[in-house]
Amino acid sequence: MSKTRLLHERVADANEALRRFQGGSNSKDEPLVLVPDDRSICSCFLSVPTGLLAILHTWGSDFNEDALAPAGLQCLPPWHRIAYCVNQQAITYNAPVKSCPSSDNVMVDCDLTLVFNVGPAPQDVKKFVYLLGASRMNDFLAAATEEGIRQLVRQTPHTQIYELRGGAMVRDMLGELNEKFEKFGVRFTKAAITEVTLGKTLAHTLQATTEFDSKINEQEKHHDHNMIQIRHEHDKEVSNLAKQQERTIQDLTAAKERALVKRESSIIQAETSRDVAITKAEQNASVAQRRAEAELQRVENEAKKKATDVEARAKAEAEAILVKAQREAEVQKFEAQKKFEASNDLAQALRISAEAEGKAAESLKANRAHTLTMARQEVLEEMSRNGRIVVSGDNGDKIIRELLALAPASASSSFAGGR
């Protein structure tokens, strides 16, 4: 890369200056300020083309300090002339710097490219033309760029020297250039190191190192890409598992909800069945209770009836027994009465016979008394054998008295007969 030279030249007129600004430059020379020739004394019109910055003079002095010459065809006397034409376009400036030592004292060649423009404010244009100019701009800019590049390279080791390429490392230098040239109406918009050159051996070594680093970076990127794919697959699988788990949870939740609903339905159905069963059981129990009560009433009635029947039968039997006993007693009483009467009659007869015999013969008195006693004893023995003799009334008392009266005599007779 060759160094750019900013030109300050003369041209025939403003139109030629515009043509030079638009296409008359090459990579080495860049027209910055062009001075048109004086107008003819017979000229009545002044042409100011669009696309450049023109400073208008009258009799060698500035026509208007606060403005530039307006574009267009103007009717002006010949002493009004365009003194300077300044390039309005952005200008690219190439500044190669040779043999810049790095921080580890390796010589480096750098190519710096700047983009700047002048103006477009009238005051800035006039400051540049009157105070700096293209020639001094060459020297001042070359010195400033070389100083900035050398300071930048001096802070960088040769292993990182290729990283200076681009515009990221020269932003500070761009700010310093704007600070230095701002008072001259120049504003730098871009700055970039386009090329960094080392020695051939060192360049090959660094190139191999860079290629190796590139391969390492490529492998790392490939590894990172594979890791990203693996993470993506893992995340995808985890996401699928999470979704599947979520679906499973949803299914289980739905099944749970269905089970709860089914359980509630079963509970309601069971409670309904229970209530129905309880009602039915209560009805059955009520019916059974009523049946039991009816059966109990029936049994009680039957028992009462049986008891009444038994009692009636018992009373009837008792009455029958009583009647039978009374009848038997009356019969026995009657028989005893008859026997008593018979015995009494017999005894009376015997007494009469005895009295008759007593009268007839005193000698038969003892014999007859013994016979009478024996007869009485036989009657008493017969009466004692009959245990069902009912003795009552006056006749009974009489019989008892007679038995008591006869007892001692009978005993005496028995005693006498025994002896």
Side-chain angles (χ1 to χ4, degrees):
M1 177 186 291
S2 58
K3 186 175 182 180
T4 301
R5 187 169 58 126
L6 301 177
L7 299 179
H8 183 111
E9 296 178 339
R10 296 189 66 89
V11 292
D13 52 20
N15 293 323
E16 185 181 354
L18 180 61
R19 288 191 296 269
R20 291 284 303 275
F21 288 152
Q22 291 180 349
S25 63
N26 51 49
S27 60
K28 183 177 180 181
D29 298 331
E30 187 70 35
L32 183 56
V33 179
L34 298 179
V35 180
D37 293 336
D38 294 338
R39 293 171 60 192
S40 172
I41 196 169
C42 297
S43 176
C44 296
F45 295 96
L46 178 63
S47 176
V48 180
T50 302
L52 52 78
L53 303 173
I55 299 175
L56 187 62
H57 278 192
T58 301
W59 300 111
S61 62
D62 199 340
F63 177 74
N64 187 355
E65 294 181 357
D66 297 328
L68 298 175
L73 183 62
Q74 305 175 33
C75 183
L76 293 175
W79 53 86
H80 290 77
R81 58 182 292 268
I82 296 176
Y84 302 99
C85 292
V86 181
N87 195 347
Q88 188 179 0
Q89 300 175 0
I91 300 171
T92 301
Y93 181 83
N94 296 322
V97 181
K98 304 295 184 181
S99 301
C100 299
S102 64
S103 62
D104 46 3
N105 294 321
V106 176
M107 295 302 174
V108 179
D109 296 338
C110 294
D111 293 337
L112 176 65
T113 299
L114 300 173
V115 177
F116 68 92
N117 58 347
V118 179
Q123 294 296 333
D124 292 337
V125 176
K126 291 180 181 181
K127 284 180 183 179
F128 175 74
V129 173
Y130 298 150
L131 298 179
L132 186 60
S135 298
R136 287 191 295 270
M137 176 74 175
N138 276 322
D139 299 335
F140 193 13
L141 184 57
T145 54
E146 186 172 353
E147 180 183 1
I149 289 297
R150 289 186 181 277
Q151 289 179 359
L152 181 61
V153 173
R154 190 63 177 173
Q155 297 173 0
T156 307
H158 76 280
T159 55
Q160 300 178 2
I161 204 67
Y162 287 110
E163 296 180 4
L164 296 177
R165 288 180 293 189
M169 303 299 292
V170 293
R171 291 176 182 174
D172 295 338
M173 188 178 68
L174 184 63
E176 293 176 357
L177 291 175
N178 280 323
E179 184 178 356
K180 290 178 180 180
F181 285 90
E182 184 180 6
K183 58 185 177 179
F184 301 114
V186 179
R187 182 173 177 273
F188 292 88
T189 57
K190 292 182 180 180
I193 296 176
T194 58
E195 186 62 36
V196 178
T197 306
L198 295 171
K200 291 184 178 181
T201 304
L202 183 59
H204 289 310
T205 302
L206 290 178
Q207 183 178 0
T209 304
T210 304
E211 290 176 355
F212 186 73
D213 292 338
S214 299
K215 291 181 181 180
I216 292 176
N217 293 330
E218 184 179 358
Q219 290 297 325
E220 290 178 352
K221 290 180 180 179
H222 183 69
H223 174 71
D224 294 338
H225 178 70
N226 291 333
M227 290 301 296
I228 290 173
Q229 288 184 343
I230 292 172
R231 291 193 191 96
H232 178 70
E233 293 295 331
H234 176 266
D235 295 339
K236 184 178 179 181
E237 185 176 358
V238 170
S239 178
N240 291 332
L241 290 175
K243 291 180 180 179
Q244 184 178 0
Q245 184 179 6
E246 185 178 358
R247 288 194 297 270
T248 303
I249 292 173
Q250 290 177 355
D251 293 340
L252 292 176
T253 304
K256 178 182 176 183
E257 295 295 332
R258 290 195 299 271
L260 291 175
V261 172
K262 186 176 181 180
R263 187 186 70 176
E264 293 295 331
S265 178
S266 299
I267 291 173
I268 294 172
Q269 187 176 2
E271 290 178 351
T272 304
S273 300
R274 181 194 65 187
D275 295 337
V276 172
I278 290 173
T279 304
K280 187 174 181 180
E282 290 177 351
Q283 293 176 355
N284 294 333
S286 179
V287 172
Q289 184 177 1
R290 292 178 181 177
R291 288 180 180 176
E293 291 176 354
E295 184 69 19
L296 177 62
Q297 188 67 32
R298 186 184 65 79
V299 171
E300 288 179 353
N301 293 332
E302 289 181 357
K304 288 180 180 179
K305 184 178 180 181
K306 288 181 180 179
T308 303
D309 294 340
V310 170
E311 184 179 359
R313 286 196 299 270
K315 287 181 179 180
E317 290 177 357
E319 289 177 359
I321 293 171
L322 180 60
V323 171
K324 184 178 180 180
Q326 288 178 355
R327 287 178 181 177
E328 290 179 356
E330 289 178 358
V331 170
Q332 291 177 2
K333 181 179 177 181
F334 179 75
E335 290 179 353
Q337 184 69 27
K338 292 299 182 181
K339 288 181 179 180
F340 178 75
E341 289 178 358
S343 298
N344 194 13
D345 291 338
L346 181 60
Q348 189 68 27
L350 291 174
R351 187 182 296 113
I352 292 172
S353 177
E355 288 179 355
E357 289 179 357
K359 290 179 178 182
E362 185 69 25
S363 59
L364 296 174
K365 182 178 180 179
N367 188 17
R368 292 188 179 278
H370 175 72
T371 303
L372 180 59
T373 301
M374 291 301 292
R376 289 181 177 177
Q377 287 181 352
E378 290 178 359
V379 172
L380 291 174
E381 182 180 0
E382 183 67 24
M383 291 178 67
S384 63
R385 288 177 181 175
N386 190 3
R388 292 185 179 183
I389 297 176
V390 178
V391 180
S392 64
D394 295 335
N395 294 324
D397 294 337
K398 185 179 178 180
I399 293 171
I400 292 172
R401 283 193 303 270
E402 289 180 357
L403 290 174
L404 293 174
L406 291 175
S410 177
S412 299
S413 298
S414 298
F415 181 76
R419 285 194 303 176

